[in-house]
Amino acid sequence: ISDNADVALVNFYADWCRFSQMLHPIFEEASNVIKEEYPNENQVVFARVDCDQHSDIAQRYRISKYPTLKLFRNGMMMKREYRGQRSVKALADYIRQQKSDPVQELHDLAEITTLDRSKRNIIGYFAQKDSEEYRVFERVASILHDDCAFLAAFGTVSKPERYSGDNIIYKPPGHSAPDIVYLGSMTNFDGTYNWIQDKCVPLVREITFENGEELTEEGLPFLILFHMKEDTESLEIFQNEVARQLISEKGTINFLHADCDKFRHPLLHIQKTPADCPVIAIDSFRHMYVFGDFRDVLIPGKLKQFVSDLHSGKLHREFHHGPDPTDIAPGQEVQDVASSPPESSFQKLAPSEYRYTLLRDRDEL
């Protein structure tokens, strides 16, 4: 996949898949429309990969359904695949949006006072636009612009902020949150990217119906806080405890929060209503398990234990057979209380079978 293309849209397909067949003429025509707008061949590339012919490539990019449209920038695959409408106009608009400058230039530092503070803002102050520092910043922005707003000031405009050279700051959401300054090397792409990604992609993300599909596709179980939208206090407690107790679990479970009102259905599934919120639960994609009383998250190690019990299978066993024998006081009868945990309700947010052929058996790839 072309390493030197600014943007490449790659269609992973299989000839026998009817959704792939339906997409071919649309993909082809969108490619022609875009070629006229961006004639320089390195600006935008449309490419197709026949996954039966190139199963090694399909496997490397973890393709789990056909057709899958993935975006690459300078050869690097973006985490979010294209999930919009499959029409010539929608595909062309998507590419135009990807080609628009991911960094907004500041012409006066006073503009910072009018920033949208509900967003995560990353601001770079540079002596000049034509510099290695800015090229790195721009490259990071082109990858993470869905997660953060990127702004930059140059030359005399940025001078008051450059007392110790070029720098990057992160303005967290909310008016009272203090700025955080990047202290690493600004010409080191990996260092800059990792720092900015850490700021732009929060440890605890919000799950919505729009991003539910992409979150389920990450394939990790969910630890979810259901809370009323205006109840930011519970969210803060949850975020703090996740950061304190579960930072080592990043990568084995997704930390999420959800609006109780919007997600009444999953709540109902675990016999709760918005009146019971805040509620913490795990969805393992097979079953849902409820954490005890919300205030118990403040007991050191309690949330960590809940997640460990998921990994060890204890939650699953206890749901089917009652408490593990080790948890029974001496002299008490061991009773096998069979019960069945509610089924996963987030699995239903997985990709729709009306648009994709899902590869159930990953081994056949």
Side-chain angles (χ1 to χ4, degrees):
I1 283 160
S2 176
D3 280 355
N4 47 11
D6 300 344
V7 169
L9 186 63
V10 182
N11 173 0
F12 292 89
Y13 72 96
D15 273 335
W16 50 263
C17 156
R18 89 189 158 90
F19 300 109
S20 295
Q21 292 161 9
M22 284 154 66
L23 182 61
H24 282 329
I26 296 167
F27 193 75
E28 186 84 17
E29 197 181 326
S31 162
N32 293 334
V33 168
I34 287 295
K35 252 194 205 98
E36 283 184 18
E37 289 176 39
Y38 301 96
N40 174 341
E41 58 188 46
N42 277 348
Q43 287 181 302
V44 182
V45 171
F46 274 67
R48 297 196 320 190
V49 174
D50 177 337
C51 295
D52 285 339
Q53 300 280 311
H54 303 282
S55 56
D56 53 330
I57 298 178
Q59 231 152 356
R60 181 176 3 143
Y61 293 114
R62 309 238 293 275
I63 303 302
S64 59
K65 58 190 186 326
Y66 301 137
T68 291
L69 293 173
K70 295 230 183 229
L71 188 77
F72 289 76
R73 288 182 178 281
N74 310 111
M76 182 176 176
M77 184 178 84
M78 298 297 96
K79 199 176 69 192
R80 292 197 171 87
E81 61 185 65
Y82 174 79
R83 289 193 162 80
Q85 268 190 310
R86 295 177 180 182
S87 68
V88 174
K89 183 183 178 317
L91 282 171
D93 282 347
Y94 173 71
I95 292 296
R96 289 182 196 113
Q97 183 208 336
Q98 296 302 323
K99 287 297 292 173
S100 63
D101 194 339
V103 182
Q104 182 193 331
E105 186 173 340
L106 296 168
H107 298 287
D108 183 338
L109 291 185
E111 293 172 40
I112 292 176
T113 56
T114 61
L115 285 185
D116 178 351
R117 292 305 300 267
S118 66
K119 287 199 174 121
R120 296 157 180 271
N121 291 285
I122 300 278
I123 308 174
Y125 298 105
F126 302 92
Q128 57 205 57
K129 205 169 188 167
D130 185 14
S131 63
E132 188 52 32
E133 284 80 357
Y134 182 64
R135 273 190 287 277
V136 166
F137 184 77
E138 207 177 17
R139 207 176 138 205
V140 173
S142 71
I143 298 170
L144 293 172
H145 66 93
D146 286 344
D147 301 292
C148 265
F150 285 82
L151 305 106
F154 305 96
T156 46
V157 178
S158 66
K159 198 165 180 3
E161 291 289 344
R162 285 189 289 106
Y163 28 81
S164 54
D166 289 5
N167 65 64
I168 299 172
I169 64 156
Y170 165 58
K171 280 189 176 304
H175 286 279
S176 54
D179 294 350
I180 300 171
V181 182
Y182 172 54
L183 299 171
S185 153
M186 288 180 62
T187 51
N188 175 327
F189 172 78
D190 291 336
T192 310
Y193 175 79
N194 290 336
W195 185 83
I196 293 179
Q197 189 200 34
D198 185 54
K199 304 292 171 273
C200 292
V201 182
L203 189 58
V204 177
R205 295 179 282 176
E206 180 172 15
I207 183 169
T208 61
F209 289 114
E210 290 71 44
N211 70 2
E213 184 180 299
E214 94 186 35
L215 287 171
T216 54
E217 281 204 341
E218 288 179 18
L220 299 174
F222 292 169
L223 175 69
I224 308 183
L225 165 72
F226 294 94
H227 66 111
M228 298 308 274
K229 204 171 176 54
E230 57 281 0
D231 173 16
T232 51
E233 190 201 345
S234 301
L235 176 58
E236 223 162 278
I237 292 173
F238 182 67
Q239 284 167 328
N240 289 339
E241 291 309 317
V242 165
R244 200 177 328 203
Q245 301 184 39
L246 294 171
I247 196 85
S248 61
E249 293 290 342
K250 202 178 166 177
T252 68
I253 191 160
N254 262 330
F255 310 118
L256 305 169
H257 67 104
D259 179 334
C260 288
D261 265 335
K262 286 192 190 141
F263 285 94
R264 280 165 182 265
H265 189 75
L267 276 174
L268 216 68
H269 229 64
I270 50 179
Q271 279 128 28
K272 303 278 183 195
T273 68
D276 297 308
C277 286
V279 171
I280 296 175
I282 282 177
D283 190 316
S284 71
F285 295 138
R286 284 173 62 195
H287 295 303
M288 289 185 78
Y289 307 100
V290 185
F291 180 74
D293 182 351
F294 174 75
R295 306 299 303 179
D296 287 354
V297 296
L298 295 166
I299 301 171
K302 189 92 176 173
L303 199 56
K304 189 168 179 56
Q305 192 55 55
F306 185 49
V307 171
S308 304
D309 289 348
L310 167 77
H311 293 324
S312 70
K314 183 174 175 186
L315 289 180
H316 193 82
R317 280 196 312 277
E318 294 201 338
F319 234 115
H320 290 294
H321 307 294
D324 273 3
T326 50
D327 293 344
I328 293 202
Q332 262 190 327
E333 289 281 297
V334 177
Q335 290 176 316
D336 196 0
V337 197
S339 75
S340 170
E343 283 193 352
S344 161
S345 75
F346 284 92
Q347 209 179 7
K348 299 177 184 60
L349 292 177
S352 143
E353 64 257 35
Y354 301 113
R355 303 180 50 186
Y356 298 105
T357 301
L358 297 184
L359 308 180
R360 289 283 173 222
D361 212 346
R362 294 301 297 277
D363 302 336
E364 287 180 18
L365 252 183

